[in-house]
Amino acid sequence: METAGGLRVADVFVAIQDPRQKAKVRHDLVELLVVAVNGVLVGAETFVEIELWAREKLEWLRKHTASPRTTPSGASWD
């Protein structure tokens, strides 16, 4: 997702170091943050509401994220 200046939302998060244990990571941190921030921007106030929004917007998320095939909740992107 680009703004008028050409900055993608994900570009804001790429410098953040992921503190999670690599062996336990199922989803890219930048992808998680993009989904969470976009969910909050459209009015989601809880993790459940973010998940519901992500499930409703799977097509849009596929176009605007790098590679995930499932949402963090496990909803399939395929």
Side-chain angles (χ1 to χ4, degrees), residues 24-45:
K24 296 180 180 179
V25 172
R26 294 185 59 196
H27 299 280
D28 180 71
L29 180 62
V30 172
E31 301 287 342
L32 290 171
L33 293 171
V34 168
V35 170
V37 167
N38 280 288
V40 169
L41 288 174
V42 299
E45 295 182 355

Side-chain angles (χ1 to χ4, degrees), residues 6 19 53:
W53 173 81

Side-chain angles (χ1 to χ4, degrees), residues 51-72:
E51 176 188 350
L52 293 173
W53 173 81
R55 287 176 183 259
E56 290 177 7
K57 299 297 181 182
L58 287 178
E59 274 307 309
W60 184 86
L61 288 167
R62 282 187 190 126
K63 292 177 188 175
H64 297 284
T65 55
S67 62
R69 301 301 347 138
T70 63
T71 62

Side-chain angles (χ1 to χ4, degrees), residues 9-28:
V9 172
D11 293 341
V12 176
F13 300 119
V14 294
I16 297 173
Q17 289 187 328
D18 191 344
R20 302 174 297 169
Q21 295 175 0
K22 297 282 185 212
K24 296 180 180 179
V25 172
R26 294 185 59 196
H27 299 280
D28 180 71

